[in-house]
Amino acid sequence: MLYSRDDGPAKPDPSSLLALADSWLIAPSQIAYVGDHHYDVEAAKRAGMQSVLLGEDRACSERHGASFIFKDLMALHRALPSISLCA
């Protein structure tokens, strides 16, 4: 299933994230949402999901309280074996 910005309110509203979790029959707490903007972090928080923020600006990232912060997708991919994304 694919949700785009046309399928619901804009982030940080969590409606689309919650609809996706519901369609997958997965509790939001078991999902880690990956994004590159502080609105992605806020949407994940509001949905009860962990957030993975991609980007170089660690100060901005930490200020918004991302669960995990990685430079890019390759850094996230390398870290997956050693971290637990979902509580």
Side-chain angles (χ1 to χ4, degrees):
M1 180 162 288
L2 175 70
Y3 285 92
S4 74
R5 67 178 61 226
D6 297 327
D7 293 318
K11 293 178 284 185
D13 185 287
S15 300
S16 293
L17 298 180
L18 293 170
L20 189 61
D22 187 53
S23 71
W24 287 348
L25 303 175
I26 300 174
S29 63
Q30 296 300 305
I31 297 173
Y33 181 67
V34 179
D36 63 354
H37 195 273
H38 69 87
Y39 288 136
D40 297 316
V41 173
E42 194 60 38
K45 284 182 184 179
R46 292 179 182 188
M49 297 175 180
Q50 292 193 58
S51 58
V52 178
L53 188 60
L54 304 177
E56 296 284 343
D57 189 352
R58 290 189 68 84
C60 177
S61 300
E62 290 168 355
R63 182 171 67 245
H64 294 289
S67 305
F68 298 92
I69 303 167
F70 294 97
K71 177 182 172 184
D72 53 34
L73 283 172
M74 288 305 298
L76 169 59
H77 178 66
R78 286 189 299 271
L80 284 175
S82 62
I83 63 173
S84 174
L85 288 175
C86 297

Coordinates of all heavy atoms in Angstrom, one line a residue:
M1 N 0.8 -1.2 0.0 CA 0.0 0.0 0.0 C 0.9 1.2 0.0 O 1.9 1.3 0.7 CB -0.9 0.0 1.2 CG -1.8 1.2 1.3 SD -3.2 1.0 2.4 CE -4.2 -0.2 1.5
L2 N 0.5 2.2 -0.7 CA 1.2 3.5 -0.9 C 0.4 4.6 -0.4 O -0.8 4.8 -0.8 CB 1.6 3.7 -2.3 CG 2.3 5.0 -2.7 CD1 3.7 5.0 -2.0 CD2 2.4 5.1 -4.2
Y3 N 0.9 5.5 0.5 CA 0.3 6.7 0.9 C 1.1 7.8 0.4 O 2.3 7.8 0.6 CB 0.1 6.8 2.4 CG -1.0 5.9 2.9 CD1 -0.7 4.6 3.3 CD2 -2.3 6.3 3.0 CE1 -1.7 3.8 3.8 CE2 -3.3 5.5 3.5 CZ -3.0 4.2 3.9 OH -4.0 3.4 4.4
S4 N 0.5 8.9 -0.2 CA 1.2 10.0 -0.6 C 0.7 11.3 0.2 O -0.3 11.2 0.9 CB 1.1 10.2 -2.1 OG -0.2 10.7 -2.4
R5 N 1.3 12.4 -0.1 CA 0.9 13.6 0.6 C -0.6 14.0 0.2 O -1.2 14.8 0.9 CB 1.8 14.7 0.3 CG 1.9 15.2 -1.1 CD 2.8 16.4 -1.3 NE 4.2 16.0 -1.0 CZ 5.0 16.8 -0.3 NH1 4.6 18.0 0.2 NH2 6.2 16.4 0.0
D6 N -1.1 13.4 -0.8 CA -2.5 13.7 -1.2 C -3.5 12.8 -0.5 O -4.7 13.1 -0.7 CB -2.6 13.5 -2.8 CG -1.8 14.4 -3.6 OD1 -1.6 15.5 -3.1 OD2 -1.3 14.0 -4.6
D7 N -3.1 11.9 0.3 CA -4.0 10.9 0.9 C -4.4 11.3 2.3 O -5.1 10.5 3.0 CB -3.4 9.5 0.9 CG -3.2 9.0 -0.5 OD1 -4.2 9.1 -1.3 OD2 -2.2 8.4 -0.8
G8 N -3.9 12.4 2.8 CA -4.3 12.8 4.2 C -3.7 14.1 4.5 O -3.0 14.8 3.7
P9 N -3.9 14.6 5.7 CA -3.4 15.9 6.2 C -1.8 15.8 6.1 O -1.2 14.8 6.3 CB -3.9 16.0 7.6 CG -4.9 15.0 7.8 CD -4.7 13.9 6.8
A10 N -1.2 17.0 6.0 CA 0.2 17.1 6.0 C 0.8 16.7 7.3 O 0.2 16.9 8.4 CB 0.6 18.5 5.6
K11 N 2.1 16.2 7.2 CA 2.8 16.0 8.5 C 3.1 17.3 9.1 O 3.2 18.3 8.4 CB 4.2 15.3 8.1 CG 4.0 13.9 7.6 CD 5.3 13.3 7.2 CE 5.8 13.9 5.9 NZ 7.0 13.3 5.4
P12 N 3.0 17.4 10.4 CA 3.2 16.3 11.4 C 2.0 15.6 11.8 O 2.0 14.8 12.8 CB 3.9 17.0 12.6 CG 3.3 18.4 12.5 CD 3.2 18.7 11.1
D13 N 0.8 15.8 11.1 CA -0.4 15.1 11.5 C -0.1 13.6 11.2 O 0.4 13.2 10.2 CB -1.5 15.5 10.6 CG -2.8 14.8 10.9 OD1 -3.0 13.6 10.6 OD2 -3.7 15.5 11.5
P14 N -0.4 12.7 12.2 CA 0.0 11.3 12.1 C -1.0 10.4 11.3 O -0.9 9.2 11.2 CB 0.1 10.9 13.5 CG -1.0 11.7 14.2 CD -0.9 13.0 13.5
S15 N -2.1 11.0 10.8 CA -3.2 10.2 10.2 C -2.7 9.2 9.2 O -3.1 8.0 9.2 CB -4.2 11.1 9.6 OG -4.8 12.0 10.5
S16 N -1.9 9.6 8.2 CA -1.4 8.7 7.2 C -0.6 7.6 7.8 O -0.7 6.4 7.4 CB -0.6 9.4 6.1 OG -1.5 10.3 5.4
L17 N 0.3 7.9 8.8 CA 1.1 6.9 9.4 C 0.2 5.8 10.2 O 0.5 4.6 10.1 CB 2.1 7.5 10.4 CG 3.1 8.4 9.8 CD1 4.0 9.0 10.9 CD2 3.9 7.8 8.7
L18 N -0.8 6.3 10.8 CA -1.7 5.4 11.6 C -2.5 4.6 10.6 O -2.8 3.4 10.9 CB -2.6 6.2 12.5 CG -1.8 6.9 13.7 CD1 -2.7 7.9 14.4 CD2 -1.2 5.9 14.6
A19 N -2.9 5.2 9.5 CA -3.7 4.4 8.5 C -2.8 3.3 7.9 O -3.3 2.2 7.7 CB -4.2 5.3 7.4
L20 N -1.5 3.6 7.7 CA -0.6 2.5 7.2 C -0.4 1.4 8.2 O -0.5 0.2 7.8 CB 0.7 3.2 6.8 CG 1.7 2.3 6.1 CD1 1.1 1.9 4.7 CD2 3.0 3.0 5.9
A21 N -0.2 1.8 9.4 CA -0.1 0.8 10.5 C -1.3 -0.1 10.6 O -1.2 -1.3 10.7 CB 0.2 1.5 11.8
D22 N -2.5 0.6 10.5 CA -3.7 -0.2 10.6 C -3.9 -1.1 9.4 O -4.3 -2.3 9.5 CB -4.9 0.8 10.6 CG -6.2 0.1 10.8 OD1 -6.4 -0.6 11.8 OD2 -7.2 0.4 10.0
S23 N -3.5 -0.7 8.2 CA -3.7 -1.5 7.0 C -2.7 -2.7 7.0 O -3.0 -3.8 6.5 CB -3.5 -0.7 5.7 OG -2.1 -0.3 5.6
W24 N -1.5 -2.5 7.7 CA -0.6 -3.6 7.8 C -0.8 -4.5 9.0 O -0.2 -5.5 9.3 CB 0.8 -3.0 8.0 CG 1.4 -2.5 6.8 CD1 1.0 -2.6 5.5 CD2 2.6 -1.7 6.7 NE1 1.9 -2.0 4.6 CE2 2.9 -1.4 5.3 CE3 3.5 -1.2 7.7 CZ2 3.9 -0.6 4.9 CZ3 4.6 -0.5 7.2 CH2 4.8 -0.2 5.9
L25 N -1.8 -4.1 9.9 CA -2.2 -4.8 11.1 C -0.9 -4.9 12.0 O -0.7 -5.9 12.7 CB -2.7 -6.2 10.8 CG -4.0 -6.2 9.9 CD1 -4.3 -7.7 9.6 CD2 -5.1 -5.5 10.5
I26 N -0.2 -3.8 12.1 CA 1.0 -3.7 13.0 C 0.7 -2.6 14.0 O 0.3 -1.5 13.6 CB 2.3 -3.5 12.2 CG1 2.5 -4.6 11.2 CG2 3.5 -3.3 13.1 CD1 3.7 -4.4 10.3
A27 N 1.0 -2.8 15.2 CA 0.9 -1.7 16.2 C 1.9 -0.6 15.9 O 3.0 -0.9 15.6 CB 1.2 -2.3 17.6
P28 N 1.5 0.7 16.0 CA 2.4 1.7 15.7 C 3.7 1.6 16.5 O 4.8 2.0 16.0 CB 1.6 3.0 16.1 CG 0.2 2.6 15.9 CD 0.1 1.1 16.3
S29 N 3.6 1.1 17.7 CA 4.8 1.0 18.6 C 5.8 0.0 18.0 O 7.0 0.0 18.4 CB 4.5 0.6 20.0 OG 3.9 -0.7 20.0
Q30 N 5.4 -0.8 17.0 CA 6.3 -1.8 16.4 C 6.9 -1.3 15.1 O 7.5 -2.0 14.3 CB 5.6 -3.1 16.2 CG 5.1 -3.7 17.5 CD 6.3 -4.0 18.4 OE1 7.3 -4.7 18.0 NE2 6.3 -3.5 19.6
I31 N 6.7 0.0 14.8 CA 7.1 0.6 13.5 C 8.1 1.7 13.8 O 7.9 2.5 14.7 CB 5.9 1.1 12.7 CG1 5.0 0.0 12.3 CG2 6.4 1.9 11.5 CD1 3.7 0.5 11.7
A32 N 9.2 1.8 13.0 CA 10.1 2.9 13.0 C 9.9 3.6 11.7 O 10.1 3.1 10.6 CB 11.5 2.4 13.2
Y33 N 9.6 4.9 11.8 CA 9.3 5.7 10.6 C 10.6 6.5 10.3 O 11.2 7.1 11.1 CB 8.2 6.7 10.9 CG 7.9 7.6 9.8 CD1 7.3 7.1 8.6 CD2 8.1 9.0 9.8 CE1 7.0 7.9 7.5 CE2 7.7 9.8 8.8 CZ 7.2 9.2 7.6 OH 6.9 10.0 6.6
V34 N 11.1 6.4 9.0 CA 12.3 7.0 8.5 C 12.0 8.2 7.7 O 11.1 8.2 6.8 CB 13.1 6.0 7.7 CG1 14.4 6.6 7.2 CG2 13.4 4.7 8.5
G35 N 12.6 9.3 8.1 CA 12.4 10.6 7.3 C 13.6 11.4 7.4 O 14.6 11.1 8.1
D36 N 13.6 12.6 6.7 CA 14.7 13.5 6.6 C 14.4 14.9 7.1 O 15.1 15.8 6.8 CB 15.2 13.5 5.2 CG 14.3 14.1 4.2 OD1 13.1 14.3 4.6 OD2 14.7 14.2 3.0
H37 N 13.2 15.1 7.8 CA 12.8 16.4 8.2 C 12.2 16.3 9.6 O 11.7 15.2 10.0 CB 11.8 16.9 7.3 CG 11.5 18.4 7.4 ND1 10.6 18.9 8.3 CD2 12.1 19.4 6.7 CE1 10.6 20.2 8.2 NE2 11.5 20.6 7.2
H38 N 12.3 17.4 10.4 CA 11.8 17.4 11.7 C 10.3 17.1 11.8 O 9.8 16.6 12.7 CB 12.2 18.6 12.5 CG 11.5 19.9 12.1 ND1 10.3 20.2 12.6 CD2 11.9 20.8 11.2 CE1 9.9 21.4 12.0 NE2 10.9 21.8 11.2
Y39 N 9.6 17.4 10.7 CA 8.1 17.1 10.6 C 7.9 15.5 10.6 O 6.9 15.0 11.1 CB 7.5 17.7 9.4 CG 7.2 19.2 9.5 CD1 7.5 20.0 8.4 CD2 6.8 19.8 10.7 CE1 7.3 21.4 8.5 CE2 6.6 21.1 10.8 CZ 6.9 21.9 9.7 OH 6.7 23.3 9.8
D40 N 8.9 14.8 10.0 CA 8.8 13.3 10.1 C 8.9 12.8 11.5 O 8.2 11.9 11.9 CB 9.9 12.7 9.2 CG 9.8 13.2 7.7 OD1 8.6 13.1 7.2 OD2 10.8 13.5 7.1
V41 N 9.9 13.4 12.2 CA 10.1 13.0 13.6 C 8.8 13.3 14.4 O 8.3 12.5 15.2 CB 11.3 13.7 14.3 CG1 11.4 13.5 15.8 CG2 12.5 13.3 13.6
E42 N 8.2 14.5 14.2 CA 7.0 14.9 15.0 C 5.8 14.0 14.6 O 5.1 13.6 15.5 CB 6.7 16.3 14.7 CG 5.7 16.9 15.7 CD 6.2 16.9 17.1 OE1 7.3 17.1 17.4 OE2 5.3 16.6 18.0
A43 N 5.7 13.7 13.4 CA 4.6 12.8 12.9 C 4.7 11.4 13.6 O 3.8 10.8 14.1 CB 4.6 12.7 11.4
A44 N 6.0 10.9 13.6 CA 6.2 9.6 14.2 C 5.9 9.6 15.7 O 5.2 8.7 16.2 CB 7.7 9.1 14.0
K45 N 6.3 10.6 16.4 CA 6.0 10.8 17.8 C 4.5 10.8 18.0 O 4.0 10.1 18.9 CB 6.6 12.0 18.4 CG 8.1 12.0 18.6 CD 8.4 13.4 19.2 CE 9.9 13.5 19.4 NZ 10.2 14.9 20.0
R46 N 3.8 11.6 17.3 CA 2.3 11.7 17.4 C 1.6 10.4 17.1 O 0.5 10.1 17.6 CB 1.8 12.8 16.5 CG 2.2 14.2 17.0 CD 1.7 15.2 16.1 NE 2.1 16.6 16.5 CZ 1.7 17.7 16.0 NH1 0.8 17.7 15.0 NH2 2.2 18.8 16.4
A47 N 2.2 9.6 16.3 CA 1.6 8.3 15.9 C 2.0 7.2 16.9 O 1.5 6.0 16.8 CB 2.1 7.9 14.5
G48 N 2.9 7.5 17.8 CA 3.4 6.4 18.8 C 4.4 5.5 18.2 O 4.6 4.4 18.6
M49 N 5.1 6.0 17.1 CA 6.2 5.2 16.5 C 7.6 5.8 16.9 O 7.7 7.0 17.2 CB 6.1 5.3 15.0 CG 4.8 4.8 14.4 SD 4.7 5.1 12.6 CE 3.1 4.4 12.3
Q50 N 8.6 5.0 16.7 CA 9.9 5.5 16.8 C 10.3 6.2 15.5 O 9.7 5.9 14.5 CB 10.9 4.3 17.1 CG 10.7 3.7 18.5 CD 11.8 2.8 18.8 OE1 13.0 3.2 18.9 NE2 11.5 1.5 19.1
S51 N 11.2 7.1 15.6 CA 11.6 7.9 14.4 C 13.1 7.7 14.1 O 13.9 7.6 15.0 CB 11.3 9.4 14.7 OG 12.0 9.8 15.8
V52 N 13.4 7.6 12.8 CA 14.7 7.5 12.4 C 14.9 8.7 11.5 O 14.3 8.8 10.4 CB 15.0 6.2 11.6 CG1 16.4 6.2 11.0 CG2 14.7 5.0 12.4
L53 N 15.8 9.6 11.9 CA 16.0 10.9 11.1 C 17.3 10.8 10.4 O 18.4 10.4 10.9 CB 16.0 12.1 12.1 CG 16.1 13.4 11.4 CD1 14.9 13.6 10.5 CD2 16.1 14.5 12.5
L54 N 17.3 11.0 9.1 CA 18.5 11.0 8.2 C 18.9 12.4 8.0 O 18.1 13.3 7.7 CB 18.1 10.3 6.9 CG 17.6 8.9 7.0 CD1 17.2 8.4 5.6 CD2 18.5 8.0 7.6
G55 N 20.2 12.6 8.1 CA 20.8 14.0 7.7 C 22.0 14.3 8.5 O 22.4 13.6 9.4
E56 N 22.6 15.4 8.1 CA 23.9 15.8 8.6 C 23.8 16.7 9.9 O 24.7 16.8 10.7 CB 24.7 16.6 7.6 CG 25.0 15.8 6.3 CD 26.2 14.9 6.6 OE1 26.9 15.1 7.6 OE2 26.4 14.0 5.8
D57 N 22.7 17.4 10.0 CA 22.5 18.4 11.1 C 22.1 17.7 12.4 O 20.9 17.7 12.8 CB 21.5 19.4 10.7 CG 21.5 20.6 11.6 OD1 22.1 20.6 12.7 OD2 20.8 21.6 11.3
R58 N 23.1 17.2 13.2 CA 22.8 16.5 14.4 C 22.2 17.4 15.5 O 21.3 17.0 16.2 CB 24.1 15.8 15.0 CG 24.5 14.7 14.1 CD 25.6 13.9 14.8 NE 25.2 13.2 16.0 CZ 24.6 12.0 16.0 NH1 24.4 11.4 14.9 NH2 24.2 11.5 17.2
A59 N 22.6 18.7 15.5 CA 22.0 19.6 16.5 C 20.5 19.7 16.3 O 19.7 19.6 17.3 CB 22.8 20.9 16.5
C60 N 20.2 20.0 15.1 CA 18.7 20.1 14.8 C 18.0 18.8 15.0 O 16.9 18.7 15.6 CB 18.6 20.5 13.3 SG 16.8 20.6 12.8
S61 N 18.6 17.7 14.6 CA 18.1 16.4 14.8 C 17.8 16.1 16.3 O 16.7 15.6 16.7 CB 19.0 15.3 14.2 OG 19.2 15.5 12.9
E62 N 18.8 16.3 17.1 CA 18.7 16.0 18.5 C 17.7 16.9 19.2 O 16.9 16.5 20.1 CB 20.1 16.2 19.2 CG 21.0 15.0 18.8 CD 22.4 15.2 19.1 OE1 22.8 16.3 19.7 OE2 23.2 14.3 18.9
R63 N 17.6 18.2 18.7 CA 16.6 19.1 19.3 C 15.2 18.6 19.1 O 14.3 18.8 19.9 CB 16.8 20.5 18.7 CG 15.9 21.5 19.2 CD 16.2 22.9 18.7 NE 16.0 23.1 17.3 CZ 16.9 23.4 16.4 NH1 18.2 23.4 16.8 NH2 16.6 23.5 15.1
H64 N 14.9 17.9 18.0 CA 13.6 17.4 17.7 C 13.3 16.0 18.3 O 12.2 15.5 18.2 CB 13.3 17.5 16.2 CG 13.3 18.9 15.7 ND1 12.2 19.7 16.0 CD2 14.2 19.6 15.0 CE1 12.5 20.9 15.5 NE2 13.6 20.8 14.8
G65 N 14.3 15.4 18.9 CA 14.1 14.2 19.7 C 13.9 12.9 18.9 O 13.1 12.1 19.2
A66 N 14.6 12.8 17.8 CA 14.5 11.6 17.0 C 15.0 10.4 17.8 O 15.9 10.5 18.6 CB 15.4 11.7 15.7
S67 N 14.4 9.2 17.6 CA 14.8 8.0 18.3 C 16.2 7.6 17.9 O 17.0 7.1 18.7 CB 13.8 6.9 18.1 OG 12.5 7.2 18.4
F68 N 16.4 7.7 16.6 CA 17.7 7.4 16.0 C 18.1 8.4 15.0 O 17.2 9.0 14.3 CB 17.7 6.0 15.4 CG 17.4 4.9 16.3 CD1 16.1 4.5 16.5 CD2 18.4 4.2 17.0 CE1 15.8 3.4 17.4 CE2 18.1 3.2 17.9 CZ 16.8 2.8 18.1
I69 N 19.4 8.7 14.9 CA 19.8 9.7 13.9 C 21.0 9.0 13.1 O 21.9 8.5 13.7 CB 20.4 10.9 14.6 CG1 19.3 11.6 15.5 CG2 20.9 11.9 13.5 CD1 19.8 12.6 16.4
F70 N 20.9 9.1 11.8 CA 21.9 8.5 10.9 C 22.2 9.5 9.8 O 21.3 10.3 9.3 CB 21.4 7.2 10.2 CG 21.3 6.1 11.3 CD1 20.1 5.8 11.8 CD2 22.4 5.4 11.7 CE1 19.9 4.8 12.7 CE2 22.3 4.4 12.7 CZ 21.0 4.1 13.2
K71 N 23.4 9.5 9.3 CA 23.9 10.4 8.3 C 23.1 10.2 7.0 O 22.7 11.2 6.3 CB 25.4 10.2 8.0 CG 25.9 11.1 6.9 CD 27.4 10.8 6.7 CE 27.9 11.4 5.4 NZ 29.2 11.1 5.1
D72 N 22.9 8.9 6.6 CA 22.2 8.6 5.4 C 21.6 7.2 5.5 O 21.8 6.5 6.5 CB 23.1 8.8 4.2 CG 24.4 8.0 4.3 OD1 24.4 6.9 4.9 OD2 25.4 8.5 3.8
L73 N 21.0 6.7 4.4 CA 20.4 5.4 4.4 C 21.5 4.3 4.5 O 21.2 3.2 5.2 CB 19.6 5.1 3.2 CG 18.2 5.8 3.2 CD1 17.5 5.6 1.8 CD2 17.3 5.2 4.2
M74 N 22.6 4.5 4.0 CA 23.7 3.5 4.1 C 24.1 3.3 5.5 O 24.4 2.2 6.0 CB 24.9 3.8 3.2 CG 24.6 3.6 1.7 SD 24.0 2.0 1.3 CE 25.4 1.0 1.7
A75 N 24.2 4.4 6.3 CA 24.6 4.4 7.7 C 23.5 3.6 8.5 O 23.9 2.8 9.3 CB 24.8 5.8 8.2
L76 N 22.3 3.9 8.2 CA 21.2 3.1 8.8 C 21.3 1.7 8.5 O 21.2 0.8 9.4 CB 19.8 3.7 8.4 CG 18.6 2.9 8.7 CD1 18.5 2.7 10.2 CD2 17.3 3.5 8.1
H77 N 21.5 1.3 7.2 CA 21.6 -0.1 6.8 C 22.8 -0.8 7.5 O 22.6 -1.9 8.0 CB 21.8 -0.1 5.3 CG 22.0 -1.5 4.7 ND1 21.0 -2.4 4.7 CD2 23.1 -2.1 4.2 CE1 21.4 -3.6 4.2 NE2 22.7 -3.4 3.9
R78 N 23.9 -0.1 7.6 CA 25.0 -0.8 8.3 C 24.7 -1.0 9.8 O 25.2 -1.9 10.4 CB 26.3 0.1 8.2 CG 26.9 0.1 6.8 CD 28.3 0.8 6.8 NE 28.2 2.2 7.1 CZ 28.0 3.1 6.2 NH1 27.8 2.9 5.0 NH2 27.9 4.4 6.6
A79 N 23.9 -0.1 10.4 CA 23.6 -0.2 11.9 C 22.5 -1.2 12.2 O 22.4 -1.7 13.3 CB 23.2 1.2 12.4
L80 N 21.7 -1.6 11.2 CA 20.5 -2.4 11.5 C 20.8 -3.7 12.3 O 20.1 -4.0 13.2 CB 19.8 -2.8 10.2 CG 18.9 -1.6 9.7 CD1 18.3 -2.0 8.3 CD2 17.9 -1.2 10.7
P81 N 21.9 -4.4 12.0 CA 22.2 -5.7 12.8 C 22.5 -5.4 14.3 O 22.2 -6.3 15.1 CB 23.4 -6.3 12.1 CG 23.5 -5.6 10.7 CD 22.9 -4.3 10.9
S82 N 22.9 -4.2 14.6 CA 23.3 -4.0 16.0 C 22.3 -3.2 16.8 O 22.5 -2.9 18.0 CB 24.7 -3.3 16.0 OG 24.6 -2.0 15.4
I83 N 21.2 -2.7 16.2 CA 20.2 -1.9 17.0 C 18.9 -2.6 17.0 O 18.5 -3.3 16.1 CB 20.1 -0.5 16.5 CG1 19.6 -0.4 15.0 CG2 21.5 0.2 16.6 CD1 19.4 0.9 14.5
S84 N 18.1 -2.2 18.0 CA 16.7 -2.7 18.0 C 15.8 -1.4 17.8 O 15.7 -0.5 18.6 CB 16.4 -3.3 19.4 OG 15.0 -3.5 19.5
L85 N 15.2 -1.4 16.6 CA 14.4 -0.2 16.2 C 13.1 -0.1 16.9 O 12.6 0.9 17.2 CB 14.2 -0.1 14.7 CG 15.4 0.2 13.9 CD1 15.1 0.1 12.4 CD2 15.9 1.6 14.2
C86 N 12.5 -1.3 17.2 CA 11.2 -1.3 17.8 C 11.2 -1.9 19.2 O 11.8 -2.9 19.4 CB 10.2 -2.1 16.9 SG 10.0 -1.3 15.3
A87 N 10.6 -1.2 20.1 CA 10.6 -1.6 21.5 C 9.6 -2.8 21.7 O 8.7 -3.1 20.9 CB 10.1 -0.5 22.4

